[in-house]
Amino acid sequence: FSQETFLVLSTLTFTAVHGLDIPSMDVVMRGGDIVEEMDWADFPTFRNGTCTVRFPRDGNWATQNGFFTGGWDANQKSACQGDGPSKVKYHLQRDGNFVARCGYNVDYATRTGQGPPGDYFLGIDDVCILHLYKGLLDCDSIDIQEEIWTNIRLKPLQRGDRLGQGEQVRHAGTTMVMQSSDGNLVLYGPSVHDRAVWAANENW
């Protein structure tokens, strides 16, 4: 999966597909794509250079620039060494699950596998938020069925919702709840650079 491949991915704008509010976005990956670890200079950029998606050697899949704090980290406590013999691979599986692997070991996963293989894609919007959808989005075919994951939610959690590792809920730019990579649930001010005001594990 080369840098050249990233450069030809589509920039598409749609709203109200199957009743969903779909933001303007660039497609980062499609189901079945595998991206191997990269050096910093090779990380692909999207939204006219505003957003960078990092696929680093240390396994901490992340975004840079754009929204509030200027970035997001999936797994700050990654077990990947970054300089070890096993290469890190980032895989959007055909069942809708995104997985980062160090060799044969799963280091991070969105845990969004939907069962049988289907059509899925990962997009990034104007404020550098990632969205994982079930469906198709390209120049020839549009069939977006549902959003199954996002790294930053802008709406309150509802009963039955799940907040996974590294995911955040932000409310009107004033507070942020984050499930940290060590499993602790933490309440911040508008960004992770603010002091934590509450944590499920007070010894964190």
Side-chain angles (χ1 to χ4, degrees), residues 122-178:
L122 180 70
I124 191 165
D125 67 21
D126 286 331
V127 288
C128 305
I129 296 177
L130 296 167
H131 304 268
L132 180 53
Y133 287 100
K134 182 177 183 179
L136 289 170
L137 180 57
D138 57 35
C139 294
D140 300 318
S141 182
I142 306 165
D143 182 19
I144 302 174
Q145 299 174 34
E146 63 175 320
E147 181 181 71
I148 62 172
W149 178 88
T150 181
N151 60 330
I152 299 174
R153 305 183 191 208
L154 302 181
K155 296 180 180 179
L157 293 174
Q158 303 297 319
R159 178 178 296 181
D161 286 349
R162 177 184 175 278
L163 194 65
Q165 176 183 334
E167 296 169 20
Q168 302 172 11
V169 179
R170 290 179 170 163
H171 177 66
T174 58
T175 57
M176 185 185 79
V177 177
M178 184 177 105

Side-chain angles (χ1 to χ4, degrees), residues 51-123:
C51 306
T52 300
V53 179
R54 292 170 17 205
F55 298 94
R57 299 184 186 281
D58 66 3
N60 186 19
W61 182 51
T63 60
Q64 286 175 219
N65 303 333
F67 192 69
F68 283 111
T69 64
W72 169 81
D73 297 274
N75 187 12
Q76 292 179 324
K77 294 185 179 296
S78 169
C80 302
Q81 298 300 309
D83 56 358
S86 297
K87 288 188 177 293
V88 181
K89 294 185 178 181
Y90 302 87
H91 185 192
L92 179 54
Q93 299 175 170
R94 294 190 184 276
D95 66 355
N97 194 21
F98 177 91
V99 179
R101 289 187 174 88
C102 301
Y104 293 104
N105 298 315
V106 174
D107 189 61
Y108 172 84
T110 56
R111 303 184 187 279
T112 47
Q114 300 284 297
D119 294 313
Y120 298 90
F121 70 91
L122 180 70

